[in-house]
Amino acid sequence: IDRPTAAGSVLWWDRADDLEVALAAVLADPRLSPHIDRARVARWRNRGLAGLAVAISAMIALFAILPAIRALAPQQEVAATAHRLATRVGEKRVLKLPDGSLVTLDTNSLVEVRYTRGLRDVRLLAGQAFFKVAKNPARPFVVTAADRRITAVGTAFDVRLGDKGAMSVMLVEGRVVVEPTRRPEGATGVDIAGREELAPGERLVVPARGAARIVVADVERSTSWQRGKLIFRDEPMTDAIAELNRYTEVKLVSGDP
Protein backbone atom coordinates (compact mmCIF):
# COMPACT_ATOMS: atom_id res chain seq x y z
CA ILE A 1 0.00 0.00 0.00
CA ASP A 2 1.30 3.46 -0.81
CA ARG A 3 1.61 5.79 2.13
CA PRO A 4 -1.04 8.53 1.74
CA THR A 5 -0.15 12.18 1.88
CA ALA A 6 -0.96 14.10 5.03
CA ALA A 7 -3.87 15.90 3.34
CA GLY A 8 -5.19 12.83 1.56
CA SER A 9 -5.07 10.72 4.71
CA VAL A 10 -7.87 12.70 6.37
CA LEU A 11 -10.28 12.01 3.52
CA TRP A 12 -9.13 8.41 3.30
CA TRP A 13 -9.78 7.71 6.98
CA ASP A 14 -13.17 9.49 6.94
CA ARG A 15 -14.59 6.70 4.84
CA ALA A 16 -15.53 4.09 7.42
CA ASP A 17 -15.85 1.31 4.85
CA ASP A 18 -12.29 1.89 3.73
CA LEU A 19 -10.75 1.68 7.22
CA GLU A 20 -10.99 -2.11 7.52
CA VAL A 21 -9.63 -2.51 3.99
CA ALA A 22 -6.80 -0.10 4.74
CA LEU A 23 -5.92 -1.86 7.99
CA ALA A 24 -5.82 -5.25 6.28
CA ALA A 25 -3.57 -3.86 3.57
CA VAL A 26 -1.17 -2.34 6.09
CA LEU A 27 -1.03 -5.58 8.08
CA ALA A 28 -0.23 -7.48 4.88
CA ASP A 29 2.54 -5.09 3.80
CA PRO A 30 5.87 -6.99 4.24
CA ARG A 31 7.68 -3.70 4.93
CA LEU A 32 5.49 -3.01 7.99
CA SER A 33 4.21 -6.38 9.13
CA PRO A 34 7.38 -7.49 11.03
CA HIS A 35 7.29 -4.30 13.11
CA ILE A 36 3.57 -4.33 14.11
CA ASP A 37 2.27 -5.34 17.55
CA ARG A 38 -0.83 -7.25 16.42
CA ALA A 39 -2.24 -7.61 19.92
CA ARG A 40 -2.30 -3.84 20.31
CA VAL A 41 -3.92 -3.46 16.88
CA ALA A 42 -6.66 -5.88 17.96
CA ARG A 43 -7.35 -3.76 21.06
CA TRP A 44 -7.60 -0.61 18.93
CA ARG A 45 -9.92 -2.35 16.48
CA ASN A 46 -12.31 -3.21 19.33
CA ARG A 47 -12.72 0.51 20.00
CA GLY A 48 -14.51 1.03 16.70
CA LEU A 49 -13.89 3.69 14.06
CA ALA A 50 -11.71 5.90 16.22
CA GLY A 51 -9.59 2.93 17.23
CA LEU A 52 -9.08 1.87 13.63
CA ALA A 53 -7.97 5.37 12.71
CA VAL A 54 -5.46 5.41 15.59
CA ALA A 55 -4.10 2.01 14.59
CA ILE A 56 -3.56 3.02 10.97
CA SER A 57 -2.08 6.37 12.00
CA ALA A 58 0.44 4.65 14.27
CA MET A 59 1.48 2.18 11.59
CA ILE A 60 1.88 4.87 8.93
CA ALA A 61 3.97 6.90 11.39
CA LEU A 62 6.13 3.80 11.85
CA PHE A 63 6.50 3.50 8.08
CA ALA A 64 7.57 7.14 7.93
CA ILE A 65 10.34 6.78 10.52
CA LEU A 66 11.69 3.40 9.35
CA PRO A 67 14.17 5.02 6.91
CA ALA A 68 15.59 7.09 9.75
CA ILE A 69 15.91 3.98 11.92
CA ARG A 70 17.69 2.13 9.12
CA ALA A 71 20.00 5.10 8.59
CA LEU A 72 21.30 4.57 12.11
CA ALA A 73 22.06 0.88 11.49
CA PRO A 74 25.53 1.38 9.92
CA GLN A 75 26.64 3.32 13.01
CA GLN A 76 25.46 0.45 15.20
CA GLU A 77 27.34 -2.00 12.95
CA VAL A 78 30.58 -0.05 13.42
CA ALA A 79 30.29 -0.31 17.18
CA ALA A 80 29.43 -4.02 16.96
CA THR A 81 32.36 -4.93 14.69
CA ALA A 82 35.11 -3.01 16.47
CA HIS A 83 36.67 -5.80 18.50
CA ARG A 84 39.80 -7.85 19.10
CA LEU A 85 40.45 -11.47 18.20
CA ALA A 86 43.30 -13.40 19.78
CA THR A 87 44.95 -16.79 20.16
CA ARG A 88 47.00 -18.25 22.99
CA VAL A 89 50.41 -19.87 22.58
CA GLY A 90 49.97 -23.05 20.56
CA GLU A 91 46.42 -22.17 19.48
CA LYS A 92 45.08 -21.65 15.95
CA ARG A 93 41.70 -20.09 15.15
CA VAL A 94 39.72 -19.66 11.93
CA LEU A 95 37.27 -16.78 12.20
CA LYS A 96 34.61 -15.49 9.83
CA LEU A 97 34.32 -11.71 9.67
CA PRO A 98 31.00 -9.89 9.14
CA ASP A 99 31.51 -9.55 5.37
CA GLY A 100 32.33 -13.24 4.87
CA SER A 101 36.12 -12.80 4.82
CA LEU A 102 38.10 -15.40 6.75
CA VAL A 103 41.04 -14.76 9.05
CA THR A 104 43.20 -17.59 10.39
CA LEU A 105 45.20 -16.63 13.45
CA ASP A 106 48.45 -18.41 14.19
CA THR A 107 49.88 -18.98 17.66
CA ASN A 108 49.93 -16.07 20.14
CA SER A 109 48.39 -13.60 17.69
CA LEU A 110 46.14 -10.58 18.05
CA VAL A 111 44.10 -8.59 15.52
CA GLU A 112 41.76 -5.66 15.93
CA VAL A 113 38.83 -5.44 13.51
CA ARG A 114 36.78 -2.34 12.74
CA TYR A 115 34.29 -2.27 9.88
CA THR A 116 32.58 0.84 8.53
CA ARG A 117 30.36 1.37 5.49
CA GLY A 118 33.35 2.29 3.31
CA LEU A 119 36.27 0.40 4.83
CA ARG A 120 37.16 -2.99 6.29
CA ASP A 121 39.97 -2.09 8.68
CA VAL A 122 42.09 -4.76 10.40
CA ARG A 123 45.21 -4.22 12.53
CA LEU A 124 47.63 -7.04 13.22
CA LEU A 125 48.99 -6.23 16.66
CA ALA A 126 50.91 -9.45 17.34
CA GLY A 127 51.83 -12.73 15.68
CA GLN A 128 50.69 -13.93 12.29
CA ALA A 129 47.42 -14.08 10.35
CA PHE A 130 46.22 -15.40 7.01
CA PHE A 131 43.43 -13.46 5.32
CA LYS A 132 41.05 -14.73 2.64
CA VAL A 133 39.18 -11.62 1.61
CA ALA A 134 35.61 -11.52 0.27
CA LYS A 135 35.43 -9.43 -2.89
CA ASN A 136 33.97 -5.95 -2.53
CA PRO A 137 35.81 -3.30 -4.60
CA ALA A 138 33.66 -0.54 -3.09
CA ARG A 139 34.80 -1.46 0.43
CA PRO A 140 38.58 -2.02 0.55
CA PHE A 141 40.06 -4.53 2.98
CA VAL A 142 43.05 -2.90 4.69
CA VAL A 143 45.45 -4.59 7.10
CA THR A 144 47.93 -2.48 9.06
CA ALA A 145 50.99 -4.22 10.51
CA ALA A 146 54.01 -2.44 11.97
CA ASP A 147 54.63 0.53 9.65
CA ARG A 148 52.98 -0.97 6.57
CA ARG A 149 49.44 -0.83 5.21
CA ILE A 150 48.22 -3.68 2.97
CA THR A 151 45.21 -3.02 0.74
CA ALA A 152 43.43 -5.98 -0.85
CA VAL A 153 40.31 -6.76 -2.86
CA GLY A 154 39.32 -10.42 -3.17
CA THR A 155 42.70 -11.74 -2.11
CA ALA A 156 44.43 -14.40 0.00
CA PHE A 157 47.58 -13.31 1.81
CA ASP A 158 49.64 -13.86 4.95
CA VAL A 159 51.00 -11.17 7.28
CA ARG A 160 53.55 -11.80 10.00
CA LEU A 161 55.07 -9.50 12.58
CA GLY A 162 58.69 -10.02 13.62
CA ASP A 163 60.87 -8.49 16.28
CA LYS A 164 61.47 -4.76 16.68
CA GLY A 165 59.12 -3.65 13.92
CA ALA A 166 60.05 -6.23 11.29
CA MET A 167 57.22 -7.72 9.23
CA SER A 168 56.46 -9.65 6.06
CA VAL A 169 53.58 -10.01 3.62
CA MET A 170 53.13 -13.06 1.37
CA LEU A 171 50.56 -13.08 -1.43
CA VAL A 172 48.95 -16.42 -2.29
CA GLU A 173 46.34 -15.22 -4.78
CA GLY A 174 44.85 -12.00 -6.06
CA ARG A 175 46.51 -8.62 -5.67
CA VAL A 176 47.71 -6.48 -2.78
CA VAL A 177 49.35 -3.09 -2.54
CA VAL A 178 51.70 -2.50 0.39
CA GLU A 179 52.73 1.00 1.36
CA PRO A 180 54.17 2.78 4.38
CA THR A 181 51.66 4.05 6.91
CA ARG A 182 53.43 7.43 6.82
CA ARG A 183 53.78 9.26 3.53
CA PRO A 184 57.09 11.00 2.96
CA GLU A 185 56.77 14.75 3.00
CA GLY A 186 55.76 16.05 -0.42
CA ALA A 187 54.59 12.67 -1.79
CA THR A 188 51.29 12.70 -3.72
CA GLY A 189 49.00 10.08 -5.28
CA VAL A 190 50.73 6.78 -5.93
CA ASP A 191 54.18 8.36 -5.97
CA ILE A 192 55.11 6.99 -2.57
CA ALA A 193 58.55 5.69 -1.63
CA GLY A 194 58.28 2.09 -0.49
CA ARG A 195 54.96 1.37 -2.22
CA GLU A 196 54.95 -2.18 -3.60
CA GLU A 197 52.45 -4.29 -5.51
CA LEU A 198 52.87 -8.03 -5.02
CA ALA A 199 52.18 -10.84 -7.46
CA PRO A 200 51.01 -14.28 -6.25
CA GLY A 201 53.93 -16.26 -4.86
CA GLU A 202 55.88 -13.18 -3.77
CA ARG A 203 56.80 -12.07 -0.28
CA LEU A 204 57.66 -8.56 0.85
CA VAL A 205 60.21 -8.68 3.66
CA VAL A 206 60.54 -5.53 5.77
CA PRO A 207 63.42 -5.81 8.27
CA ALA A 208 63.61 -3.82 11.47
CA ARG A 209 66.46 -1.92 9.85
CA GLY A 210 67.45 -1.60 6.24
CA ALA A 211 65.59 -1.66 2.95
CA ALA A 212 62.53 -3.77 2.20
CA ARG A 213 62.85 -6.38 -0.53
CA ILE A 214 60.61 -8.71 -2.52
CA VAL A 215 61.56 -12.39 -2.66
CA VAL A 216 60.06 -15.55 -4.12
CA ALA A 217 57.96 -17.23 -1.42
CA ASP A 218 57.79 -20.92 -0.57
CA VAL A 219 54.00 -20.92 -0.28
CA GLU A 220 53.68 -24.56 0.77
CA ARG A 221 56.13 -24.16 3.63
CA SER A 222 54.89 -20.74 4.66
CA THR A 223 51.26 -21.85 4.92
CA SER A 224 51.93 -25.25 6.51
CA TRP A 225 51.05 -23.91 9.97
CA GLN A 226 47.43 -23.65 8.83
CA ARG A 227 47.44 -27.44 8.35
CA GLY A 228 48.99 -28.09 11.76
CA LYS A 229 52.49 -28.69 10.40
CA LEU A 230 55.83 -26.91 10.28
CA ILE A 231 58.09 -27.53 7.29
CA PHE A 232 61.78 -26.65 7.35
CA ARG A 233 63.98 -26.64 4.28
CA ASP A 234 67.66 -25.90 4.78
CA GLU A 235 66.97 -23.54 7.72
CA PRO A 236 69.73 -23.17 10.33
CA MET A 237 69.01 -25.16 13.47
CA THR A 238 68.73 -21.99 15.55
CA ASP A 239 66.02 -20.62 13.23
CA ALA A 240 64.07 -23.90 13.31
CA ILE A 241 64.18 -23.99 17.11
CA ALA A 242 63.06 -20.37 17.35
CA GLU A 243 60.10 -21.18 15.10
CA LEU A 244 59.14 -24.24 17.15
CA ASN A 245 59.34 -22.21 20.36
CA ARG A 246 56.56 -19.92 19.09
CA TYR A 247 54.13 -22.81 19.56
CA THR A 248 55.00 -24.00 23.06
CA GLU A 249 55.39 -22.64 26.56
CA VAL A 250 58.23 -25.09 27.16
CA LYS A 251 61.13 -23.72 25.15
CA LEU A 252 63.68 -25.81 23.31
CA VAL A 253 67.35 -24.98 23.69
CA SER A 254 70.06 -26.03 21.27
CA GLY A 255 73.22 -27.54 22.75
CA ASP A 256 76.71 -27.75 21.36
CA PRO A 257 77.05 -30.28 18.49
Side-chain angles (χ1 to χ4, degrees):
I1 182 171
D2 292 332
R3 179 164 53 94
T5 63
S9 63
V10 176
L11 296 175
W12 186 56
W13 296 338
D14 281 346
R15 298 182 57 187
D17 291 341
D18 285 342
L19 284 174
E20 284 287 355
V21 174
L23 179 61
V26 171
L27 289 172
D29 192 319
R31 297 167 296 177
L32 291 174
S33 182
H35 307 283
I36 293 173
D37 184 341
R38 292 178 179 270
R40 181 173 294 179
V41 170
R43 290 195 297 271
W44 283 336
R45 175 183 269 161
N46 291 335
R47 295 175 186 174
L49 181 62
L52 283 172
V54 169
I56 296 171
S57 298
M59 286 184 285
I60 289 175
L62 172 64
F63 182 83
I65 65 172
L66 274 176
I69 294 173
R70 291 191 180 110
L72 294 176
Q75 297 177 11
Q76 295 170 351
E77 179 192 6
V78 170
T81 56
H83 55 278
R84 290 187 169 192
L85 310 170
T87 52
R88 300 183 298 272
V89 172
E91 182 184 16
K92 182 191 74 175
R93 294 178 68 188
V94 180
L95 302 154
K96 189 172 185 178
L97 301 182
D99 66 319
S101 297
L102 297 177
V103 55
T104 305
L105 292 181
D106 197 6
T107 176
N108 198 24
S109 298
L110 174 64
V111 294
E112 183 177 79
V113 179
R114 178 179 294 273
Y115 276 25
T116 64
R117 282 179 290 177
L119 180 67
R120 296 172 287 175
D121 183 36
V122 180
R123 296 176 183 271
L124 179 62
L125 303 176
Q128 183 171 4
F130 184 85
F131 301 93
K132 190 169 182 61
V133 180
K135 292 184 179 180
N136 187 347
R139 198 182 185 195
F141 191 99
V142 178
V143 177
T144 303
D147 66 347
R148 289 297 192 276
R149 181 184 296 110
I150 306 110
T151 303
V153 178
T155 302
F157 63 101
D158 181 278
V159 184
R160 177 168 172 170
L161 288 175
D163 296 330
K164 300 178 181 179
M167 61 87 65
S168 67
V169 182
M170 181 187 67
L171 181 61
V172 175
E173 63 182 55
R175 171 179 172 268
V176 295
V177 173
V178 186
E179 58 189 5
T181 54
R182 295 182 180 180
R183 290 173 176 248
E185 187 175 347
T188 59
V190 298
D191 182 24
I192 303 172
R195 185 181 190 272
E196 302 285 358
E197 182 173 331
L198 298 184
E202 291 183 337
R203 180 192 299 276
L204 175 67
V205 179
V206 183
R209 293 184 178 181
R213 67 188 189 279
I214 295 177
V215 300
V216 176
D218 185 338
V219 175
E220 181 189 14
R221 183 182 68 81
S222 298
T223 59
S224 63
W225 61 270
Q226 297 179 53
R227 304 184 295 275
K229 300 179 181 179
L230 292 176
I231 298 174
F232 300 100
R233 290 176 177 151
D234 300 323
E235 275 85 3
M237 181 63 71
T238 53
D239 291 352
I241 289 175
E243 184 67 11
L244 289 169
N245 282 341
R246 294 178 60 228
Y247 295 87
T248 177
E249 297 283 4
V250 179
K251 304 304 181 185
L252 300 175
V253 178
S254 62
D256 293 333

